[in-house]
Amino acid sequence: MSTVLVLAELTPSGVRPATFELLTAARALGDPAAVVVGEAGDDVVAQLGNYGATTVYAVGGAAAEDYLSVPKAEALVQVAQQANPSAILITSGSEGKDIAARVAVRLDSGIVTDAVSVADEGGTIVAAQAIVAGTYHATSEVTRGPAVITMRPNATNAEQAAATPSVENVDVAISDAAKGASITARNPKVSTGRPELTDAAVVVAGGRGVGSPEGMGVIEQLADTLGGAVGATRAVTDLGWAAHDIQVGQTGKTVAPSLYVAAGVSGAIQHRAGMQSSKTIVAVNKDANAPIFAISDFGVVGDLHQVLPALVDAIAAKRG
Ligand code: FAD
């Protein structure tokens, strides 16, 4: 079986959940091998093994961690030259796509970005994308080199398949050019205690209908009740009612949670581009003709300032 490389991402609390989705997807294509740039401790190796990694390539030392994406791309290229994979999977995101593009150029490979699924069709690797703001489903195949594919977080479910990975320590030579930009300080964001927007299984998003910065409070309250992340439309972030880094849409973040609650959101195409792949969409809007209802699985026509607190109370009552 051919090897499929997965670029593992680490967070302070361990392996990023999106990496498990990549390992699950990789199992449909071949033999998953994780590439860890950084500290591949026992915990990390065990977590990767839980999702089927049979090999962990540990690109050692802090060296690559001290720089931006180029050393990671160089490391991945060198591991690929050694492992000869049929595909390389990377999580979509600004860094992931930067790395993927560099790897594809260096390996002279085809690249597909923002895939929502991958499959092996008779030896050909195909990737599906939701394009034109999610209104079309495109299927592509990579015909040259190992297929370099970035996958959207939350587009596929992570499923465990225990394996005991062998660990291969890899010494990679990072070029001086790759070290041109280095990280001089890290200032972690003050944690809200909520999950990362792009990783969250539940997202509650507020639109201009919240009416004011304080109006975002009901959005946050429902998100906290559901253990979800808070999102917003561009109208809301442009008005300064919420931070720009929680904007969902064409020029914001792309999310595909199990549940997306859109409250006071009209459903403009640029917003839909960032959330249309969500598995279940619930809309609350006082205008029965709002376009968001056209893509909703469940809709409530009403004032969000009444509907959302009632929902929070009902959930609390149900939980006892
Ligand atoms: P509105 O369109 O003003 O809708 C507010 C909605 O709230 C209405 O449907 C109204 O009926 C409802 N409402 C009002 N009061 C209540 C209430 N009390 N209870 C319930 N419902 C209520 N937008 C994004 O979101 N993300 C992007 O990434 C993005 N990128 C863009 C890129 C470009 C190039 C352009 C041109 C636009 C982009 N936009 C983006 C903007 C987009 O076109 C819309 O303007 C924006 O999404 C509208 O935000 P909204 O739904 O919050 O506001």
Side-chain angles (χ1 to χ4, degrees):
M1 218 176 354
S2 62
T3 298
V4 177
L5 290 183
V6 165
L7 179 62
E9 284 183 64
L10 305 182
T11 69
S13 53
V15 179
R16 185 181 168 194
T19 298
F20 302 140
E21 295 163 19
L22 294 185
L23 286 168
T24 306
R27 298 204 303 266
L29 307 179
D31 198 11
V35 180
V36 178
V37 180
E39 199 58 52
D42 291 348
D43 239 33
V44 166
V45 172
Q47 287 181 45
L48 295 168
N50 282 342
Y51 288 86
T54 55
T55 309
V56 172
Y57 291 101
V59 181
E65 288 173 41
D66 292 341
Y67 300 94
L68 302 181
S69 53
V70 193
K72 289 183 192 141
E74 288 193 352
L76 204 46
V77 166
Q78 287 174 47
V79 174
Q81 283 162 343
Q82 179 182 327
N84 194 23
S86 57
I88 300 172
L89 304 186
I90 300 170
T91 300
S92 279
S94 46
E95 187 184 66
K97 286 196 239 181
D98 184 356
I99 293 170
R102 292 172 190 278
V103 168
V105 168
R106 294 286 289 277
L107 295 177
D108 194 25
S109 285
I111 178 170
V112 179
T113 57
D114 287 332
V116 291
S117 66
V118 289
D120 180 344
E121 291 185 359
T124 303
I125 291 177
V126 294
Q129 296 160 297
I131 60 166
V132 196
T135 46
Y136 290 89
H137 217 67
T139 308
S140 316
E141 65 180 60
V142 174
T143 53
R144 200 175 66 218
V148 178
I149 300 171
T150 75
M151 292 194 70
R152 282 189 178 169
N154 279 319
T156 54
N157 292 327
E159 284 163 23
Q160 295 199 358
T164 309
S166 59
V167 179
E168 288 196 27
N169 293 309
V170 189
D171 274 335
V172 298
I174 306 295
S175 70
D176 286 344
K179 297 178 184 168
S182 63
I183 297 168
T184 53
R186 284 187 167 86
N187 299 308
K189 241 185 359 185
V190 178
S191 171
T192 58
R194 299 187 185 109
E196 267 299 308
L197 181 56
T198 49
D199 289 337
V202 176
V203 173
V204 183
R208 202 198 304 257
V210 298
S212 66
E214 295 72 35
M216 282 299 284
V218 286
I219 304 292
E220 292 170 355
Q221 211 183 356
L222 180 59
D224 291 341
T225 301
L226 298 172
V230 173
T233 63
R234 178 158 156 183
V236 166
T237 58
D238 281 356
L239 283 162
W241 296 353
H244 281 286
D245 66 354
I246 64 165
Q247 180 189 317
V248 173
Q250 184 184 317
T251 45
K253 293 195 169 142
T254 301
V255 299
S258 300
L259 173 64
Y260 189 88
V261 182
V265 172
S266 60
I269 190 164
Q270 296 90 352
H271 185 74
R272 293 190 338 226
M275 47 66 74
Q276 190 145 299
S277 308
S278 304
K279 291 177 191 75
T280 300
I281 298 171
V282 174
V284 181
N285 197 302
K286 66 181 187 184
D287 175 5
N289 296 316
I292 191 75
F293 287 127
I295 57 157
S296 302
D297 299 282
F298 188 83
V300 180
V301 179
D303 184 339
L304 69 92
H305 292 292
Q306 291 171 4
V307 176
L308 266 46
L311 181 54
V312 168
D313 289 347
I315 294 169
K318 186 124 188 130
R319 287 177 181 160

